[in-house]
C-alpha cells in the first residue's frame, strides 16, 4: 500500500432517492405515495483500444415511494425500484426489468433503519464529476461493496449538517442470496459554509475460502463557491490476499448560466509490479433547459494512459421527474 427503482417504494433518509422533484401521486390519512424517474440515453465510444460506438442506457429507472405516518414522529417506509437499461440493451424479449432496490424500514425524526436490497453506506462516499467515470468512482465501487441484497442499514442526521450511515451486508449463503460476500461499512460527512468533508470505511469478506477480509477506506472534500466547484477523494484497498492499491479522484466544475463545464483526473496506483498503474482524465459539459431544468443534454470526452488507448467520447440526453 503506497498512499494514505412499474413499482412501489418508500422515501428514505438513509438512502434518499426521493427529492422535492418527485411527484406526489397520492396523499391521504397519513399515506404519501410518490413517483420519480431518471432516464438517460447516450451515444458512447469508450476509451480504450478499438472500441465501437454504442447506444447506452444509463439509467432507465422508475422509482415509486411510499411513507406511512404512524404518529408521534414514527413513520414506516419502503421502496421498490426497477431499472430497464439491461432490457433495453437486449435484442430478445426474454430480458426483464432489473430490480434496483427493495427494502422496508422505520424512521423516527432524523433516525432511520431499513433492511433489504439497497445501497450501502459507502455508496454515499466521494465526489461525482464524470458523466461516466473512466476508472470507476472509487475503491468501494471498484470492489463492488457499495450495495447489497441482504443489507441492514441505520442512518442519522444531526443539526442539518452531520450525516452518519452504518450498514451491514449479511454473509448469506442460502439459495435466496446472491452469495456476494459480507461487509460492514460506515460513512460520515459534515457540511458547513459550502464545504463538505466525508470519510468512509468498509471491512469486506469476499466469501472465498482461504481469503482474509479486505479493508477499504477513503476521505473526501468538496467546496462549492457558487462560481466554481472543486472536490477530491482518495480511497485505499488494503488486500492481504493479492495487492494493495489506492484511488485518487479530482474534479473542477464551473457553472455558466444554464451550462456546467467540468473536468477531472483519476489515478489508480498499485502496490505491485504485476499491475500497471493507470491514469485517466475527462472533460464534460451539461446544458439544462431553462424552462425545465430536469431536461438536459450533455457531452464528454475522456482517455487513459494505457497502451494503445484511443480517446473515448459520449453525447446524450437526460430526463428526470
Amino acid at each position: 500500500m503506497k498512499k494514505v427503482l412499474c413499482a412501489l417504494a418508500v422515501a428514505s433518509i438513509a438512502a434518499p432517492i426521493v427529492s422535492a422533484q418527485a411527484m406526489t401521486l397520492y396523499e391521504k390519512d397519513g399515506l404519501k405515495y410518490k413517483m420519480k424517474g431518471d432516464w438517460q440515453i447516450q451515444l458512447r465510444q469508450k476509451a480504450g483500444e478499438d472500441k465501437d460506438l454504442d447506444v447506452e442506457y444509463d439509467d432507465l429507472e422508475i422509482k415509486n415511494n411510499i411513507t406511512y405516518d404512524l404518529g408521534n414522529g414514527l413513520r414506516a417506509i419502503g421502496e421498490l425500484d426497477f431499472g430497464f437499461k439491461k432490457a433495453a440493451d437486449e435484442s430478445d424479449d426474454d430480458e426483464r426489468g432489473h430490480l434496483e432496490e427493495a427494502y422496508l424500514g422505520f424512521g423516527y425524526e432524523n433516525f432511520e433503519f431499513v433492511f433489504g436490497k439497497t445501497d450501502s453506506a459507502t455508496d454515499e462516499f466521494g465526489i461525482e464529476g464524470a458523466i461516466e467515470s473512466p476508472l470507476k468512482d472509487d475503491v468501494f465501487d471498484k470492489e463492488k461493496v457499495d450495495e447489497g441484497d441482504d443489507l441492514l442499514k441505520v442512518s442519522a442526521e444531526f443539526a442539518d449538517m452531520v450525516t452518519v450511515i452504518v450498514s451491514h451486508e449479511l454473509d448469506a449463503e442460502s439459495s435466496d442470496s446472491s452469495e456476494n460476500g459480507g461487509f460492514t461499512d460506515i460513512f460520515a460527512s459534515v457540511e458547513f459554509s459550502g464545504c463538505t468533508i466525508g470519510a468512509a470505511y468498509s471491512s469486506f469478506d469476499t466469501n472465498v475460502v482461504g481469503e482474509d477480509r479486505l479493508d477499504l477506506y477513503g476521505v473526501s472534500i468538496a467546496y462549492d463557491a457558487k462560481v466554481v466547484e472543486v472536490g477530491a477523494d482518495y480511497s485505499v484497498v488494503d488486500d492481504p490476499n493479492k495487492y494493495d492499491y489506492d484511488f485518487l479522484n479530482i474534479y473542477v466544475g464551473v457553472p455558466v448560466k444554464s451550462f456546467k463545464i467540468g473536468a477531472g483526473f483519476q489515478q489508480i496506483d498499485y502496490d505491485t509490479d504485476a499491475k500497471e498503474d493507470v491514469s485517466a482524465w475527462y472533460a464534460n459539459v451539461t446544458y439544462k433547459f431553462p424552462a425545465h431544468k430536469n431536461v438536459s443534454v450533455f457531452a464528454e470526452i475522456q482517455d487513459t494512459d494505457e497502451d494503445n488507448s484511443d480517446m473515448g467520447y459520449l453525447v446524450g440526453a437526460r430526463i428526470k421527474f
Side-chain angles (χ1 to χ4, degrees):
M1 183 177 61
K2 293 181 180 180
K3 309 172 184 172
V4 199
L5 129 139
C6 189
L8 291 175
V10 173
S12 156
I13 293 175
I17 66 161
V18 183
S19 72
Q21 300 167 346
M23 297 184 300
T24 299
L25 301 183
Y26 183 85
E27 186 171 4
K28 187 178 180 180
D29 298 332
L31 166 64
K32 182 179 292 186
Y33 171 41
K34 295 182 178 182
M35 177 183 284
K36 186 178 180 183
D38 189 349
W39 304 340
Q40 179 176 318
I41 302 178
Q42 59 204 28
L43 282 165
R44 184 187 183 192
Q45 178 172 303
K46 295 182 180 180
E49 185 175 3
D50 298 328
K51 299 295 184 179
D52 296 324
L53 184 64
D54 191 16
V55 173
E56 287 189 343
Y57 302 87
D58 190 14
D59 281 317
L60 295 177
E61 293 182 333
I62 296 293
K63 307 176 179 183
N64 294 321
N65 309 274
I66 187 169
T67 305
Y68 272 102
D69 184 356
L70 302 179
N72 299 317
L74 184 66
R75 62 190 178 276
I77 56 177
E79 183 169 335
L80 188 60
D81 298 353
F82 284 92
F84 299 92
K85 63 182 181 182
K86 291 185 178 181
D89 261 327
E90 292 295 326
S91 58
D92 59 69
D93 57 7
D94 291 332
E95 186 72 26
R96 297 295 186 259
H98 173 69
L99 182 63
E100 297 282 349
E101 293 192 74
Y103 63 78
L104 292 174
F106 294 90
Y108 179 75
E109 296 184 347
N110 292 331
F111 295 84
E112 195 164 87
F113 166 74
V114 299
F115 63 100
K117 177 181 176 67
T118 187
D119 296 327
S120 72
T122 54
D123 182 66
E124 298 292 330
F125 173 79
I127 61 172
E128 296 183 5
I131 297 171
E132 296 290 347
S133 297
L135 301 180
K136 298 294 187 180
D137 295 334
D138 45 56
V139 298
F140 307 103
D141 178 37
K142 187 172 175 60
E143 296 294 332
K144 300 180 180 180
V145 294
D146 55 353
E147 61 182 17
D149 58 359
D150 302 289
L151 198 77
L152 312 176
K153 181 163 64 173
V154 178
S155 66
E157 293 184 357
F158 305 96
D160 293 326
M161 61 182 295
V162 177
T163 299
V164 179
I165 306 174
V166 180
S167 62
H168 176 69
E169 173 74 356
L170 299 176
D171 191 5
E173 298 181 5
S174 70
S175 59
D176 297 324
S177 172
S178 64
E179 302 183 21
N180 54 357
F183 58 81
T184 301
D185 60 3
I186 182 171
F187 168 78
S189 69
V190 58
E191 300 181 34
F192 58 95
S193 304
C195 183
T196 302
I197 299 174
Y201 169 77
S202 179
S203 179
F204 175 50
D205 185 349
T206 62
N207 213 13
V208 176
V209 176
E211 286 194 356
D212 294 326
R213 299 182 70 91
L214 280 66
D215 289 323
L216 304 87
Y217 50 92
V219 293
S220 67
I221 185 170
Y223 179 67
D224 184 357
K226 305 303 181 183
V227 295
V228 62
E229 300 172 6
V230 296
D233 62 60
Y234 176 76
S235 50
V236 174
V237 172
D238 185 356
D239 187 350
N241 309 299
K242 298 176 183 178
Y243 45 79
D244 302 341
Y245 67 91
D246 54 62
F247 194 118
L248 177 65
N249 189 17
I250 301 173
Y251 171 74
V252 177
V254 179
V256 183
K257 294 185 177 180
S258 296
F259 290 88
K260 186 175 182 180
I261 303 168
F265 172 82
Q266 296 183 322
Q267 182 179 61
I268 300 178
D269 190 356
Y270 295 97
D271 190 16
T272 176
D273 294 333
K275 293 282 290 185
E276 290 283 343
D277 298 343
V278 57
S279 300
W281 61 269
Y282 62 87
N284 53 47
V285 59
T286 300
Y287 175 76
K288 294 184 177 182
F289 289 85
H292 293 284
K293 293 187 177 181
N294 281 339
V295 180
S296 60
V297 292
F298 52 83
E300 183 172 73
I301 56 173
Q302 56 183 234
D303 203 358
T304 76
D305 64 354
E306 295 174 295
D307 293 339
N308 303 316
S309 177
D310 300 320
M311 186 172 69
Y313 60 89
L314 65 85
V315 60
R318 184 182 190 185
I319 293 178
K320 300 189 295 181
F321 63 86

